[in-house]
Amino acid sequence: MGIRDKVQSKVAKAFNSKLSDAVFPFTGSYVTEGDYDPVTEQSNQVTHTYTGRGVLGQYDIKRIDGVNILSGDIKLTALQNEVSEPPKVDHIITTTDLVTHTSQSYKVINVGSDPAEATYSVQLRRA
């Protein structure tokens, strides 16, 4: 078992036990151009979706600089092996709002990964 498998196993165990109250399912989506119709000279748009689960959290007040990280931005930490497709900048992530506990859509601002490539760290901003 490599380091990546070990990290994913331990984080998944924490998601299922100690962090279970803080873990939320999410749906990601993005739109691409579909088939091109040469008669109308237009193409249809195709919406792609993917799912996963992760822990949502606020950024530390010291990290909020008003340029790269804004006051309302949140951070999503998700296991890579539990996300059906990698999130990318400008995708839309729909998950539970931390304050109202209702469904909320966020735009992906930045995506990072840990050195073992076991988790994604996703910066989200209200869409």
Side-chain angles (χ1 to χ4, degrees):
M1 179 183 275
I3 186 77
R4 179 181 180 184
D5 295 332
K6 191 177 283 189
V7 169
Q8 286 177 332
S9 173
K10 289 188 183 251
V11 174
K13 184 176 177 184
F15 275 17
N16 292 329
S17 59
K18 296 175 185 174
L19 293 174
S20 64
D21 292 344
V23 175
F24 295 97
F26 66 87
T27 302
S29 65
Y30 61 97
V31 177
T32 60
E33 294 295 322
D35 297 329
Y36 179 76
D37 183 351
V39 175
T40 62
E41 296 183 357
Q42 294 180 351
S43 58
N44 60 341
Q45 293 185 333
V46 178
T47 301
H48 305 273
T49 60
Y50 54 93
T51 59
R53 67 181 181 140
V55 175
L56 298 169
Q58 302 285 342
Y59 280 96
D60 186 298
I61 193 74
K62 295 174 187 171
R63 299 213 46 213
I64 297 172
D65 60 6
V67 178
N68 297 312
I69 300 175
L70 303 182
S71 180
D73 289 359
I74 62 172
K75 181 178 176 180
L76 168 68
T77 303
L79 281 171
Q80 287 190 15
N81 65 342
E82 290 188 0
V83 179
S84 57
E85 189 171 327
K88 293 194 167 62
V89 172
D90 292 332
H91 286 189
I92 300 296
I93 300 283
T94 304
T95 189
T96 304
D97 183 273
L98 289 173
V99 177
T100 64
H101 300 286
T102 59
S103 182
Q104 177 64 48
S105 294
Y106 299 92
K107 181 178 179 182
V108 175
I109 303 301
N110 194 9
V111 180
S113 179
D114 65 284
E117 295 183 350
T119 62
Y120 292 119
S121 179
V122 185
Q123 179 184 355
L124 302 173
R125 186 170 293 155
R126 279 187 189 261

